[in-house]
Amino acid sequence: MIYTIKNIASVIKREAVITNDVQIEHLLFDSRKIYSPQSSLFFAIVGSRRDGHQFIPEVYKKGVRSFVISQEVEVNKFPEANFIKVDDCLQALQTLGAEHRKKFTIPVIGITGSNGKTIVKEWLYQLLHQDYNIVRSPKSFNSQIGVPLSVWQMNEQHTLGIFEAGISKPGEMDRLEKIIQPTIGVLTNIGEAHSEGFSSLAQKEKEKRLLFRNAVIPESVVLNSVKKEQRSTIISAIYKTFGITITIPFNDDASIQNAIICWQVMLHLGYDNKVIAERMKLLTPVNMRLELKKGINNCSIVNDSYSADTSSLEIALNFLDQQSADGNKAVILSDFLQSSVPDKLLYAQIFKSLQNHGIKRLIGIGENISAFFQSPNKSENMQIQLFSSTDEFLTQFLSSQFKEEVILIKGARVFAFEQIVQLLEQKAHQTALEINLNAIVHNLKEYQQCLNPETKIMAMVKAFAYGSGGAEIAGILQYHKVDYLGVAYADEGVELRKAGIMLPIMVMNPEEYAFETIIEHNLEPELYSFELLHSFDDFLQQEGIKHYPVHLEIETGMNRLGFSGDDIEKLSERLIETSSFKVQTVFTHFAASEDVSQDEFTQQQFLIFKKAIKKIKKNLGYPFLSHIANSAAVVRHPEMQMDMVRLGIGLYGVDSTGSNQLNLQTVTTLKSTVAQIKNLKKGESVSYNRKAIVERDSVIATIRIGYADGYPRRLGNGIGRVWVNGKLAPVIGTICMDMFMIDITDIENVKEGDDVIIFGTQLPVQQIAKWANTIPYEIMTGISQRVKRVYFEG
């Protein structure tokens, strides 16, 4: 199916300014995801905070020459560009998706529901791909934007479509149904998730069922029995008077429900239950997250060693782009086994995608991928190594060949790429701090909803991003276009620059010995005293540097750092006298913006700061940004947004206000494992100094984490708790350097090697801090660097 820009203008019934009638293959709305610019069409969608028209110059500079716009654009600034003017860019995208869908008569499965949509979609793919060439939603592309982009993938080779549809308010499903036009409808369930926009669950269900107004819903099976075993479940049912049975390799309720839905779809498609039963046994877990791990020799590892298909490859490559700003990217790929596309066409498509994402090195493992890539001169810009099997790669593996790269590892399960991951992963003990990058993005968006569209954001990534990993967190924040980053010391900023972070970075505690480092890495120091100002001024003059970006801190009541109100006139005079500085921002710190009992003091600080700002602006005679609000003030004092806000611990899912006004997600989960289990008799002691004497026969588990890892010693002797097997277990005895013990007497089925949650969704870090008589900041920043950090999108 070939479209030109003229065709598309005709489809969406709009006139266009066309300088070159190019062929369009890719639809874009995100200026960060441009891989084939000449064949891309950019939709300048206007959102609640971002206006796509603002990014047209950036997108044009990257090579895109075709645009759909809804606002006036100075066309003469883009002499080679094609423009289609519409009333609403999102509506135009949806219209194009709907018209494209009409060109195909293949069966299409439309899936909606509160939970399980992506699992059902991926399991149907696993169950049906042997018989169909399937096009499906990438990951969970089920939104008003994601659905038309998913449907746009349809082409003449596909014989079945599977698309998700997610909604958040009435009216949205009507638009999605016109795009997907499903012939078969699947409703996973109706629950509380994403219910904010509906008056009731009944209204929500009615709205979701609009997806099926022209579709057939598969007949339900009548369950006879569900028998859960240790690692599987046997499900028996009646279908059209016949007794049928399947066995699935899962025993949780959600998997059972999802498998039954897939069972019903396959029966509707006419499959014999013997075939269904065989395939159900082979279902594998759907990996809902991409993991980023520290690798050997300063490498980073993106672990996606669970599947190999072109849709998930594109998602993984996008994630790789987010993590590698300097472009030093490598990919380890297996054969792609689950495709009905001819190998030559399939691997040509894969090769083109790798080129588009700037991959420097490809390691291909498998006979099929090797056969395609073994021909010489495939790419002058890509180093290619080929191995017939995983065993061959492992035999020839040299760790010295992997250095300072970001490496995507992606393969079909039969290739057992987890062995490669183990080789490349930096060795650490079994305690890990898991960081959910999607949760960071979610929390950022939650705060953005509280802000005026023009209000900028400085994200605080000091103290190793509150223990989460500075460079990795900064990378995802840069990708999502925050305006500034804040660090405590210059060396933190240097690490970010080395990781390819290009955002402006404010250094809050600059030291005189670090001035040269600050200049070398284009960091922006905070000036908070005349002594510091004079020292930095002298340094800049010696270096012959003028108008260097700096930030001024004003003291309004925190009484830590900053120029006082009485210093403002003298400060202004000094800034006017020298040409060394260009003030970027002026700010102050709230002392207690989260505390309702201190609101009067907070208002007093705000008034003092506004008075100082007014004087400085008048004296300097040029504009700068003013900021006072931290995470708590964004929520509790929205009138104090000013030009910019500073987001700190709120980004990491901790609401210091305790108001629950925002739907923040947990970002960090500290996990360890059970090293050993002991059965003690009444009267025996546990740990150093025999401070814990068991008062009954007890079962004690030793956990692989101690105070050297950052677990507070004051949580010993029954004060702290951990989460194991769905229950809280008390700490017993003194916390040791590398481990501690818990009492699991009343918790069944705990085994050596089981995971233990130290803090996370089930056991919030706020509760740990409360037990330890401290604050979440101290707990999070105290996690030792010897604890492995694992980053994932989930």
Side-chain angles (χ1 to χ4, degrees):
M1 192 71 60
I2 297 175
Y3 288 89
T4 67
I5 194 69
K6 283 185 178 178
N7 296 148
I8 291 174
S10 174
V11 166
I12 59 181
K13 297 179 174 59
R14 285 293 185 273
E15 294 184 0
V17 176
I18 298 176
T19 60
N20 182 19
D21 191 22
V22 296
Q23 185 173 319
I24 299 298
E25 298 178 10
H26 308 283
L27 306 183
L28 306 173
F29 72 97
D30 191 333
S31 63
R32 301 161 298 186
K33 298 178 180 178
I34 299 173
Y35 311 114
S36 300
Q38 291 296 333
S39 58
S40 295
L41 175 61
F42 180 78
F43 287 76
I45 293 173
V46 179
S48 58
R49 277 193 58 83
R50 303 285 187 189
D51 182 346
H53 297 83
Q54 297 173 350
F55 301 101
I56 289 175
E58 175 187 339
V59 173
Y60 184 83
K61 187 176 180 180
K62 291 180 178 179
V64 175
R65 292 296 180 265
S66 300
F67 301 85
V68 176
I69 58 174
S70 61
Q71 300 173 9
E72 293 300 326
V73 171
E74 294 184 52
V75 177
N76 60 331
K77 289 186 176 181
F78 312 100
E80 300 175 3
N82 304 312
F83 289 100
I84 303 175
K85 179 72 181 300
V86 299
D87 296 327
D88 185 309
C89 292
L90 175 57
Q91 186 177 330
L93 174 64
Q94 293 176 339
T95 299
L96 179 58
E99 291 300 315
H100 180 66
R101 166 67 181 90
K102 289 178 181 177
K103 298 181 183 297
F104 302 93
T105 58
I106 63 174
V108 170
I109 301 172
I111 305 173
T112 191
S114 298
N115 303 103
K117 297 184 290 295
T118 301
I119 301 291
V120 169
K121 178 197 68 186
E122 293 301 320
W123 276 2
L124 284 174
Y125 177 82
Q126 290 182 27
L127 294 163
L128 301 173
H129 76 270
Q130 297 177 43
D131 309 306
Y132 295 93
N133 187 354
I134 300 173
V135 56
R136 69 194 195 278
S137 307
K139 205 171 183 180
S140 53
F141 269 39
N142 56 33
S143 67
Q144 297 293 303
I145 295 175
V147 167
L149 293 179
S150 299
V151 170
W152 179 255
Q153 298 177 108
M154 296 179 77
N155 63 44
E156 295 88 343
Q157 296 175 334
H158 294 125
T159 57
L160 176 67
I162 309 176
F163 300 113
E164 298 178 44
I167 57 173
S168 58
K169 59 185 178 182
E172 291 184 338
M173 190 60 84
D174 178 64
R175 295 191 289 273
L176 297 187
E177 189 277 335
K178 292 174 182 175
I179 302 168
I180 298 174
Q181 301 165 39
T183 58
I184 300 170
V186 171
L187 180 66
T188 58
N189 56 51
I190 298 294
E192 293 295 339
H194 314 298
S195 294
E196 298 85 356
F198 301 95
S199 60
S200 65
L201 288 181
Q203 185 196 32
K204 182 179 180 180
E205 179 174 357
K206 182 180 179 182
E207 179 73 16
K208 284 184 176 290
R209 286 188 179 276
L210 290 177
L211 181 62
F212 312 137
R213 59 189 170 199
N214 296 305
V216 176
I217 298 176
E219 183 178 340
S220 298
V221 298
V222 179
L223 291 181
N224 273 343
S225 65
V226 176
K227 183 181 179 182
K228 294 184 180 181
E229 301 191 337
Q230 188 171 2
R231 290 187 176 87
S232 62
T233 302
I234 302 170
I235 310 171
S236 299
I238 301 294
Y239 181 72
K240 294 183 177 178
T241 73
F242 296 100
I244 53 177
T245 300
I246 59 171
T247 300
I248 62 171
F250 305 93
N251 57 17
D252 61 285
D253 291 341
S255 293
I256 293 168
Q257 182 185 34
N258 293 334
I260 291 170
I261 291 169
C262 294
W263 192 11
Q264 292 169 171
V265 172
M266 293 188 75
L267 290 167
H268 175 79
L269 290 172
Y271 280 84
D272 187 278
N273 197 68
K274 290 182 180 179
V275 174
I276 298 174
E278 284 301 313
R279 294 186 184 179
M280 284 285 181
K281 292 178 184 177
L282 303 177
L283 282 177
T284 58
V286 176
N287 184 48
M288 299 294 288
R289 68 191 204 182
L290 291 168
E291 296 179 341
L292 177 68
K293 301 183 177 184
K294 293 286 187 184
I296 59 175
N297 304 328
N298 292 319
C299 290
S300 295
I301 310 301
V302 177
N303 180 16
D304 193 17
S305 57
Y306 313 98
S307 63
D309 62 86
T310 53
S311 295
S312 62
L313 174 62
E314 193 64 27
I315 293 167
L317 289 171
N318 286 336
F319 183 71
L320 191 68
D321 291 338
Q322 294 179 32
Q323 305 307 322
S324 180
D326 62 4
N328 200 15
K329 296 176 284 192
V331 174
I332 301 177
L333 287 182
S334 76
D335 286 346
F336 279 40
L337 303 176
Q338 298 182 348
S339 176
S340 56
V341 179
D343 277 359
K344 187 173 181 180
L345 183 61
L346 171 67
Y347 291 110
Q349 179 184 349
I350 290 169
F351 180 53
K352 182 179 180 181
S353 185
L354 296 177
Q355 287 181 309
N356 289 340
H357 287 268
I359 302 304
K360 301 296 185 187
R361 180 156 73 126
L362 167 66
I363 296 173
I365 298 178
E367 294 180 358
N368 297 340
I369 195 171
S370 296
F372 177 83
F373 282 102
Q374 67 185 0
S375 57
N377 301 319
K378 273 293 175 190
S379 174
E380 296 179 359
N381 300 319
M382 189 186 303
Q383 178 187 349
I384 298 176
Q385 297 170 274
L386 301 171
F387 301 88
S388 62
S389 67
T390 304
D391 286 341
E392 183 184 355
F393 172 84
L394 296 174
T395 301
Q396 300 182 31
F397 175 79
L398 292 174
S399 62
S400 59
Q401 294 180 346
F402 298 87
K403 185 178 181 181
E404 296 180 347
E405 298 175 287
V406 181
I407 306 167
L408 168 63
I409 302 174
K410 184 166 183 61
R413 286 183 180 273
V414 295
F415 283 85
F417 271 14
E418 60 270 16
Q419 299 174 78
I420 299 176
V421 174
Q422 290 172 6
L423 279 178
L424 291 173
E425 187 180 355
Q426 191 178 69
K427 300 301 180 285
H429 66 73
Q430 293 183 40
T431 296
L433 186 68
E434 295 186 345
I435 296 100
N436 184 341
L437 297 176
N438 276 1
I440 287 272
V441 176
H442 169 87
N443 295 341
L444 175 64
K445 291 179 179 178
E446 284 290 300
Y447 280 102
Q448 284 176 331
Q449 291 177 8
C450 300
L451 303 177
N452 299 321
E454 67 275 8
T455 303
K456 298 181 183 298
I457 292 175
M458 177 182 287
M460 307 309 297
V461 291
K462 59 183 181 176
F464 200 52
Y466 294 77
S468 300
E472 292 81 4
I473 301 301
I476 203 76
L477 293 170
Q478 176 173 264
Y479 186 77
H480 286 276
K481 296 188 179 296
V482 301
D483 302 284
Y484 253 98
L485 297 176
V487 298
Y489 293 99
D491 55 356
E492 293 177 321
V494 171
E495 289 304 310
L496 298 184
R497 289 288 186 245
K498 287 181 178 178
I501 301 303
M502 304 304 295
L503 285 173
I505 300 173
M506 181 177 78
V507 180
M508 304 188 75
N509 296 289
E511 296 165 293
E512 190 169 347
Y513 78 86
F515 286 167
E516 188 171 340
T517 298
I518 286 172
I519 301 299
E520 181 183 349
H521 293 90
N522 194 27
L523 307 176
E524 302 178 9
E526 165 197 330
L527 304 180
Y528 53 79
S529 70
F530 286 111
E531 181 182 3
L532 181 60
L533 185 150
H534 293 150
S535 296
F536 194 50
D537 187 16
D538 290 343
F539 176 82
L540 293 174
Q541 290 188 36
Q542 291 172 13
E543 297 294 319
I545 297 173
K546 294 183 177 181
H547 309 301
Y548 195 82
V550 297
H551 304 259
L552 304 178
E553 181 172 0
I554 307 301
E555 177 57 72
T556 59
M558 181 80 166
N559 289 316
R560 184 174 62 180
L561 297 174
F563 295 98
S564 70
D566 295 336
D567 292 333
I568 299 303
E569 290 298 335
K570 180 181 175 182
L571 172 62
S572 299
E573 290 173 6
R574 190 69 190 89
L575 292 171
I576 293 169
E577 288 171 359
T578 180
S579 59
S580 297
F581 307 131
K582 175 68 183 296
V583 176
Q584 302 297 301
T585 80
V586 180
F587 70 100
T588 191
H589 278 283
F590 277 134
S593 62
E594 72 281 358
D595 190 343
V596 65
S597 69
Q598 297 295 330
D599 280 353
E600 184 178 347
F601 187 78
T602 298
Q603 290 290 343
Q604 180 182 323
Q605 282 192 271
F606 186 46
L607 292 174
I608 293 171
F609 183 58
K610 286 200 298 181
K611 185 178 179 181
I613 288 294
K614 186 176 180 180
K615 286 182 181 180
I616 296 172
K617 281 186 176 179
K618 180 181 178 182
N619 293 333
L620 287 188
Y622 61 80
F624 52 79
L625 301 177
S626 306
H627 49 110
I628 188 172
N630 54 10
S631 300
V634 169
V635 177
R636 297 199 63 250
H637 305 286
E639 73 282 3
M640 300 180 187
Q641 290 181 25
M642 305 191 80
D643 301 312
M644 185 160 66
V645 299
R646 299 188 304 275
L647 297 182
I649 201 165
L651 277 177
Y652 305 93
V654 177
D655 180 6
S656 57
T657 70
S659 65
N660 295 319
Q661 286 182 240
L662 300 183
N663 179 29
L664 299 181
Q665 293 182 357
T666 299
V667 171
T668 55
T669 299
L670 182 59
K671 298 171 69 172
S672 192
T673 57
V674 175
Q676 190 176 27
I677 295 174
K678 291 180 178 293
N679 293 285
L680 303 187
K681 296 294 185 182
K682 179 181 177 180
E684 290 192 77
S685 63
V686 179
S687 196
Y688 289 117
N689 306 120
R690 303 192 71 236
K691 290 188 176 180
I693 308 294
V694 297
E695 298 178 352
R696 58 175 177 167
D697 290 354
S698 300
V699 184
I700 305 300
T702 301
I703 312 302
R704 293 182 171 98
I705 182 174
Y707 61 76
D709 301 296
Y711 193 71
R713 201 165 182 269
R714 52 191 175 276
L715 290 180
N717 299 305
I719 295 174
R721 303 281 192 278
V722 298
W723 187 265
V724 58
N725 260 19
K727 292 184 178 180
L728 287 175
V731 176
I732 183 169
T734 303
I735 305 294
C736 308
M737 179 181 287
D738 307 302
M739 59 195 71
F740 64 80
M741 281 64 80
I742 59 174
D743 187 340
I744 57 170
T745 307
D746 298 321
I747 304 176
E748 297 179 352
N749 300 320
V750 180
K751 303 180 296 296
E752 293 178 0
D754 279 357
D755 283 341
V756 176
I757 304 299
I758 310 303
F759 63 73
T761 302
Q762 302 92 334
L763 181 54
V765 68
Q766 295 95 315
Q767 181 61 64
I768 304 298
K770 186 176 180 181
W771 286 332
N773 194 29
T774 184
I775 56 176
Y777 298 78
E778 182 179 344
I779 300 296
M780 294 172 67
T781 59
I783 303 304
S784 165
Q785 289 304 298
R786 80 174 186 177
V787 173
K788 173 175 61 178
R789 267 69 174 174
V790 177
Y791 303 87
F792 66 91
E793 287 189 330

